[in-house]
Each structure stands twice: as C-alpha cells, then as structure tokens.
Amino acid sequence: MPRAARPGGTLDLTQVSPRGRATSEMDSDLQQRLVALFQRTAATVPAYRAFLDSHGVDAASVVDGTGFARLPLVTKENYHQRYSLPQRCRDGDLGACDLIAVSSGSTGTPTFWPRSAADEAAATRRFEQVLVHGFDAAQRRTLAVVCFPLGTWVGGLYTLSCLRGLAAELAMTIVAPGNNKAEILRVVPELGSHFDQVVLFGYPPFLKDVIDTGLREGVDWSRYAVKLVCAGEVFSEQWRDLMGKRAGLDPVHDVAALYGTADGGVLGNETPLSVRTRRFLAEHPAAARELFGGQRLPTLMQYNPADRFFETVDGTLVFTADSGVPLIRYHLADDGGVIPHERMVEFCRAHGFEPDEETGPDLPFVFVFGRSIHAVSVFGANVYPETVSLGLERAEISEWVTGKFVLEAWEDADRNRLLRITVELGPDEANTVERTRLVANAVRDELVTHNSEYANYVPVERHVPHVELRPMGDPDYFPVGVKHRYTR
C-alpha cells in the first residue's frame, strides 16, 4: 500500500531576515509564516486541536505575532503524555511518517518521535554548515565516523541519515560503528589514511574515551586530521583544549557542538565565530555573567530562523517547527536564551573583542545551559556538572580519570548535608588517598571560584566535597553502553 502524501510542508522562513528578533518585533513575513504553520497544525493535527480547545483558544483568532505569542506552551506532560501518538501526527496518521526515533528519556519515560525524510532537511543544513563552512569538507576528502549509539535512539540513525543526504554532494564517505569503541579503533586506522580528514560524531565523554584509549593503543590521531562533532551536553573550553592537545587538532576550528534534541532534530550548531566568542567569554567571566545572566558558561551556537523559530520564556527556550509531530511553542525545559547577531557583535566590541576578525554566518545566537534538573542543591546552592568538570580537566588529574562523574546531595552518618562526587578512573588506574584528596580540592577550588552561591551559601568547612573514585565501568555508577547521567 503506497504511503500517503504528507500534507502541508516545512516551515519556510528562507526569505526572513536571520537577525533573531523577539516575537513582538518580528517582521510581517515571519509573522505570516508562523501564523500559517499554526493554522495548518490546528486544522490538521487532532491532538493540537484538542489541546487548543482545552485551553479555550479559538484558532481563528490568532492572526499575527501578538496572538501567536499568547498561545499556550506545549510540553511533554501536557501534550505528548496526554494525547496518543497518531493523534499528534497530521490527520492522525502515523503511517504518513517514515521513521520513528526514541528520546533518551532524560526526564523519565522515553518518548517516541515520528518524522519523515522532509523533516531532516533543516538538520542536514546544520551538519552542512559544520562540515563545509567549518571543516572545508567540500574540498577535503572526509571520512565521517558515526559514534552515537545506533538502534531506536535518535542520535546515531539521525546523524547517519543526515550525513547520507550530504555525502553525494561532498567528497565524504560514512562509516557507522556506533558506540562500539573497539570497532571505532579498528576502522579509523584502517580507513583514515585514505582520506584528508576524519570526523568523529558522538557524545563528548565518549569521544574523549575513544581518543584516550586510542592513544594508549598507539593511535597517532594527528595522522588523520581528526575533527570532533559533539552533542548532548555542555563542555568547557578546557575540555576543548585538552582534546586539541591529545588529538592534534585546532580547538577553534576542529571541534563543533550541535544543539540537538529528539523533539526537534538539530536546532543550532557551533561555528568558528561562536567558538571564538565563547573562548573570549570564558576568559572574562564578569562579561559572561553580564551577557548570560548566570554563573555558568553555556554552550554558544548560531541558528537559522529559516529552520527553527526560537523564543525565550522565563529564562528557558521555546521553539516552533514543522515535523512528523508538528510543535508550536514547544517548551524544551532547557535554560538558555537568544541573542540577536547585532547585539552580540556590539557587546563583544564594547568589551574589547572584535568578532568580525573571524568570518562567520550573519545569524543569531542561541545559548544553552542545559536543564536545571541536572543540578544538585547543597545548602541552597545549585551545583552544575560543567563546573565540576573544570576540576577534573586540570592537567594533574585529567591523565588518570575518564571525565565521567556523578553528583549527589548526600548526608553523612551525622546527617550533615554534603556534596558527593563519584569519579570514574581510567583503565587500570589506582584508587589512592592522595588522588581522592587532589580531586576534592581541585573541585572545591573551581566551585568557589565560579559558583558564588556555593562560595557564600555552603559553610566554609563543608566546601570540600566528599569524593569517591571508582574503576572504569563500575556497574552502579558507570555502566557500559548506557548514556551517562551526571546527577542522581
């Protein structure tokens, strides 16, 4: 039985100025496209029609950007968990979609996300921007190695599918060992010498493990002009520098993060411009706090409003996009915000940094802290994984840990509230009292320096966290083959 034609089309904003303005400041062309997508979704998606009815919204009354901005936010709880999967598709037809992926379930129960090949076009453009404009893949023969887990989970197959869409246009060949480290370390030395560069796609801690294991096994990564494309979590500039040193790559031009979700695909990506800007802000924390309004340094990326429309609501990100399950004002629960291109350039220049020295796309910026649920609270101070990572990335520590750890708010035998950090050792590395003390003091120093809540809320005598070192692959904290969670 032939597949039914997919009604409607993707949100087309290709003629819209990509400067990233608030909804109230949108030009009429963008307003019209957003309203048209909303109206089409309200008319053809049974679940969304019922959702609007439950909130007392008359779809016909939404005719401009002001009306659009008043629409209720869609979440997993009030929408995906309330309405059946087919009802969330256009015309209630799940069969009109080509592929179903599964989210990682970071907030609990995994969610199914159907999509069609047409939905991958926007994500493919983000990969293209990284590969072509960042890595010069149009001119250099490229081996793309997909190191995300394969199977129903979204990362591996989604990446593979988007890269297949680009391979015919670029001098690129793809191999997909997934997160099988032994297979990655087999195929790269075997195939890498036949290409001008090798690009590894994966989660940051896993790619670090691949690089470190390869070094122990005698792999000279610099032979293969390695590049890294990461997704899934925030990493520090120290981590980027560490990978540059170990893999023989340029931290600015050879490492790019993607902002990817199962819900909306790839929403944004790092560019050399955004990386240079973030590295400047990492060295000027007062300016970073002024710009981002927080203690942490977020991932900083650029995005194209032609593909995804972002809003900031109460310090969190909301986006609108067409897909197998169309999403109108979908609340990502990611802490972050949007900065127009002009404002970013003006801010940088006012603080002594000239961003235009590096050619970059004239696109708005999106910054992402990640989800606040991924923090733990001690004495009212939120402790975030990215700050703890700074301690583990110090030169005197990074050689014998993998970079993985678990944060817990813990009570000792006397019911004293403490920050507990369980750290994964590298293979065959010893668990010693001196190493435990070194990690505890390094993390304490980073927390006191970068987290004013921790420095002021937590009593000084409790600044040093309780640290436990565990062997690689510890089944209780670091099970092999499972997406790592930094908090519990």
Side-chain angles (χ1 to χ4, degrees):
M1 181 176 173
R3 185 185 301 278
R6 184 168 177 268
T10 57
L11 178 58
D12 180 13
L13 304 179
T14 53
Q15 304 305 314
V16 178
S17 171
R19 296 291 190 168
R21 284 166 284 182
T23 309
S24 60
E25 301 171 339
M26 290 188 293
D27 55 39
S28 59
D29 194 33
L30 175 54
Q31 289 189 43
Q32 291 173 8
R33 283 166 169 76
L34 287 171
V35 170
L37 173 61
F38 161 75
Q39 294 289 356
R40 189 166 70 250
T41 302
T44 62
V45 178
Y48 192 64
R49 191 161 55 244
F51 173 79
L52 293 175
D53 290 343
S54 71
H55 285 80
V57 176
D58 176 13
S61 68
V62 179
V63 296
D64 56 19
T66 300
F68 182 88
R70 292 173 179 163
L71 291 169
L73 300 184
V74 170
T75 67
K76 283 186 179 179
E77 292 73 25
N78 71 12
Y79 192 67
H80 301 303
Q81 295 174 9
R82 182 175 177 183
Y83 302 99
S84 71
L85 186 58
Q87 292 297 296
R88 286 181 269 130
C89 299
R90 291 205 181 278
D91 297 322
D93 183 10
L94 180 60
C97 297
D98 305 316
L99 185 67
I100 296 176
V102 182
S103 74
S104 60
S106 59
T107 58
T109 306
T111 304
F112 294 98
W113 297 100
R115 66 177 189 272
S116 73
D119 301 328
E120 294 171 358
T124 299
R125 286 191 286 272
R126 303 282 65 74
F127 282 104
E128 181 180 22
Q129 187 170 64
V130 169
L131 290 166
V132 175
H133 302 292
F135 300 163
D136 197 24
Q139 305 299 324
R140 307 184 68 191
R141 294 172 304 161
T142 301
L143 177 67
V145 186
V146 179
C147 305
F148 290 109
L150 300 174
T152 58
W153 305 109
V154 67
L157 291 184
Y158 198 100
T159 300
L160 179 61
S161 182
C162 291
L163 294 180
R164 284 293 300 273
L166 287 172
E169 303 174 16
L170 306 177
M172 183 170 69
T173 302
I174 308 162
V175 62
N179 60 339
N180 184 328
K181 187 168 58 174
E183 187 68 4
I184 296 168
L185 294 175
R186 186 181 73 85
V187 300
V188 171
E190 181 73 21
L191 301 175
S193 60
H194 302 297
F195 296 85
D196 298 322
Q197 61 183 356
V198 173
V199 183
L200 305 179
F201 296 78
Y203 296 118
F206 180 73
L207 292 184
K208 178 181 181 295
D209 188 21
V210 169
I211 297 296
D212 290 346
T213 303
L215 289 173
R216 288 192 295 269
E217 295 182 3
V219 176
D220 180 3
W221 293 105
S222 62
R223 286 187 56 199
Y224 308 113
V226 170
K227 312 289 189 290
L228 305 180
V229 178
C230 306
E233 58 190 65
V234 179
F235 55 81
S236 69
E237 291 309 309
Q238 288 92 328
W239 185 92
R240 201 190 304 264
D241 288 336
L242 185 64
M243 291 300 95
K245 177 182 177 182
R246 294 186 180 179
L249 53 81
D250 179 342
V252 173
H253 295 90
D254 295 345
V255 181
L258 302 174
Y259 183 19
T261 69
D263 332 48
V266 181
L267 308 177
N269 57 277
E270 283 188 329
T271 63
L273 173 62
S274 74
V275 172
R276 289 184 66 249
T277 303
R278 185 179 192 250
R279 290 170 75 82
F280 168 78
L281 294 169
E283 296 175 356
H284 298 80
R289 285 194 295 271
E290 179 184 344
L291 182 64
F292 301 125
Q295 302 282 343
R296 298 176 288 158
L297 184 67
T299 299
L300 180 65
M301 287 164 281
Q302 293 184 270
Y303 73 98
N304 191 344
D307 299 324
R308 298 290 185 264
F309 176 70
F310 273 111
E311 301 171 80
T312 307
V313 177
D314 297 328
T316 59
L317 291 167
V318 171
F319 81 87
T320 295
D322 202 354
S323 66
V325 173
L327 296 172
I328 307 294
R329 304 200 76 214
Y330 181 69
H331 189 219
L332 283 162
D334 281 339
D335 293 338
V338 175
I339 302 174
H341 188 274
E342 296 98 327
R343 183 190 165 207
M344 179 65 84
V345 170
E346 291 168 1
F347 181 89
C348 289
R349 287 174 175 164
H351 288 78
F353 174 65
E354 181 52 69
D356 286 346
E357 293 175 3
E358 176 76 45
T359 346
D362 186 10
L363 295 171
F365 294 80
V366 58
F367 62 92
V368 188
F369 290 108
R371 298 183 180 180
S372 57
I373 61 169
H374 291 167
V376 299
S377 180
V378 181
F379 287 90
N382 286 327
V383 177
Y384 297 92
E386 51 263 42
T387 310
V388 174
S389 291
L390 297 176
L392 300 182
E393 289 159 3
R394 291 187 175 188
E396 66 271 24
I397 295 173
S398 61
E399 296 296 329
W400 42 267
V401 299
T402 67
K404 291 182 183 178
F405 58 89
V406 175
L407 294 179
E408 299 173 88
W410 182 64
E411 288 185 350
D412 64 15
D414 293 327
R415 300 299 179 186
N416 296 312
R417 194 76 164 174
L418 299 171
L419 175 64
R420 176 188 174 105
I421 307 174
T422 305
V423 178
E424 185 180 46
L425 288 164
D428 303 320
E429 293 290 350
N431 178 356
T432 68
V433 173
E434 175 59 23
R435 284 181 166 183
T436 301
R437 183 194 64 79
L438 193 61
V439 169
N441 289 338
V443 171
R444 182 268 318 274
D445 292 347
E446 297 295 345
L447 286 171
V448 170
T449 300
H450 296 284
N451 187 329
S452 62
E453 284 187 352
Y454 193 87
N456 291 283
Y457 295 179
V458 179
V460 173
E461 64 272 17
R462 301 198 186 282
H463 277 179
V464 179
H466 176 86
V467 169
E468 181 177 346
L469 306 181
R470 294 206 176 194
M472 176 180 277
D474 179 89
D476 293 330
Y477 280 85
F478 309 107
V480 177
V482 177
K483 185 177 180 181
H484 182 62
R485 309 293 185 203
Y486 285 90
T487 60
R488 62 165 63 175

